[in-house]
Amino acid sequence: MSAVDLFTPVRLGAVELPNRIVMAPMTRSRAGAGNTPTDLTVEYYRQRASAGLIITEATQVSADAQGYPDTPGIHTVEQAAGWRRVADAVHADGGRIFTQIWHVGRISHPMFRPDGSQPVAPSAIAARGELYAGAAGMVPFPVPRALETAEIPAYARLFADAAKRAVFDAGLDGVEIHAANGYLIDQFLRDGTNARTDAYGGSVANRARFLMEVTEAVSHAVGAQRVGVRLSPNGTFNDMKDSDPAALFGHVAEALNPFGLAFLHVIEGIGGPQALPEGATPVAPLLRRIFKGPFIINGGFTREAGDAALANGDADLVSFGVPFIGNPDLVERFKRGAPLNEPDRGTFYGGAAKGYTDYPALEPVEA
Ligand SMILES: Cc1cc2nc3c(=O)[nH]c(=O)nc-3n(C[C@H](O)[C@H](O)[C@H](O)COP(=O)(O)O)c2cc1C
């Protein structure tokens, strides 16, 4: 039997994938009026339909879930209609697409919130650093308001409502719950941001409670076979830390098993900016052993490193972020061993077609 590689088909919950090359979620800050996907959004994802699975940029579950300019939502009829056009275009070109659903929690500013109120979080602990507030430039992260215990279940329902809109109104194939990179769910998980003394704070089981309630609500709404979860156990982005990532995320992986999710997606870089922080112990191998469903690994992978990770059994699929920005036909380039286009970092966030939909694909090979 030949070894599994990036081109071995695989089933992920409700969807059958022709390859194991996943497009990682990437915020591109190009949504139109009303934070709605535009014609360019449709074209961008359509160009990348040969990915085994596309996971879209993070998408707001509610009007108060935003923390960056021009990021799309999935809480209005117009937004769902915009995502319907994206889903239809990707499907017409033979692809599959999940959307990543998020609430940013403390990584926000009153200017992004419809009523101008303070951002919310598990605890009133501000992130160190600054955020980009459009015309106001860079401003310090504000101190968030700690959610009351009684308010929290409504936030889980926001994720479930967003998932329903994504799957039933927009026709997307599923959703990825964004529990990584220091946003609301991750803020509940890690003890650097969660100092609560109620049922949502303290022990690892209590800190995982919000993620479990979100996963339960979303799975109930659209079926667990259309739901994935993304985690970043060792990530430090957005001023995140935890005193014992292995204990916390080991518990999370175990507690997610009974849902029968489509996948678990873990960021634990092997190179580049997402590399493991110095001195950190890798947690992905532990999660791989504990989690019973399909396991996606991400962070600094090349084609060769991806094939090696699959052959070693470190993961079932590999997701690629930056390589998909510059290479709409990344799958074909990997297949042919062709060189990759260099991504233009100056156009990662914001702007229009430049650096978004204008990267060249390879010429087709003569039959
Ligand atoms: C421009 C940009 C935007 C990103 N936006 C998101 C996002 O919305 N959600 C998320 O979970 N990760 C986001 N990420 C992280 C990527 O999904 C991925 O984890 C990271 O790029 C490492 O993978 P890579 O080395 O293959 O690029 C973003 C990364 C980049 C470069």
Side-chain angles (χ1 to χ4, degrees), residues 33-303:
N35 291 335
T36 300
T38 66
D39 290 349
L40 275 181
T41 322
V42 173
E43 177 60 10
Y44 169 71
Y45 285 114
R46 189 198 60 72
Q47 289 176 348
R48 288 157 179 78
S50 57
L53 176 70
I54 292 173
I55 304 173
T56 75
E57 64 208 278
T59 301
Q60 283 99 238
V61 296
S62 59
D64 81 331
Q66 188 175 356
Y68 301 89
D70 304 320
T71 51
I74 183 79
H75 52 88
T76 70
V77 170
E78 293 76 17
Q79 290 163 353
W83 285 114
R84 161 67 70 178
R85 295 175 54 232
V86 172
D88 286 350
V90 169
H91 291 153
D93 273 32
R96 294 135 302 273
I97 181 167
F98 276 39
T99 188
Q100 188 185 50
I101 48 176
W102 73 344
H103 190 300
V104 296
R106 70 174 186 164
I107 304 300
S108 186
H109 187 274
M111 69 162 286
F112 291 117
R113 299 171 56 84
D115 61 358
S117 63
Q118 234 176 324
V120 296
S123 299
I125 302 170
R128 285 174 303 169
E130 295 181 316
L131 88 164
Y132 177 66
M138 299 305 290
V139 298
F141 284 110
V143 179
R145 176 177 73 80
L147 287 166
E148 301 289 339
T149 308
E151 289 179 279
I152 295 173
Y155 282 82
R157 286 198 294 276
L158 289 177
F159 280 85
D161 290 345
K164 275 193 217 162
R165 216 168 274 114
V167 171
F168 301 127
D169 298 349
L172 294 152
D173 297 300
V175 296
E176 177 178 89
I177 297 168
H178 196 350
N181 295 347
Y183 299 106
L184 183 64
I185 299 174
D186 201 18
Q187 291 160 30
F188 271 91
L189 289 173
R190 297 204 247 177
D191 58 15
T193 39
N194 184 342
R196 300 182 72 90
T197 54
D198 63 3
Y200 293 93
S203 66
V204 293
N206 278 0
R207 283 183 277 131
R209 188 179 308 280
F210 180 56
L211 170 59
M212 296 309 147
E213 290 181 355
V214 169
T215 306
E216 170 78 45
V218 171
S219 299
H220 183 73
V222 300
Q225 296 278 292
R226 297 193 180 277
V227 180
V229 169
R230 192 171 212 216
L231 302 172
S232 54
N234 272 303
T236 56
F237 183 57
N238 283 326
D239 191 26
M240 291 303 288
K241 52 182 180 295
D242 187 79
S243 57
D244 191 347
L248 169 62
F249 288 94
H251 168 85
V252 167
E254 184 77 62
L256 288 174
N257 273 333
F259 291 103
L261 297 173
F263 60 83
L264 182 63
H265 187 180
V266 175
I267 311 172
E268 192 159 281
I270 59 166
Q274 304 282 332
L276 265 185
E278 219 176 295
T281 310
V283 174
L286 173 72
L287 305 190
R288 167 62 165 165
R289 281 199 301 279
I290 295 173
F291 187 69
K292 302 285 180 245
F295 192 88
I296 311 177
I297 193 78
N298 166 257
F301 282 85
T302 57
R303 186 203 157 155

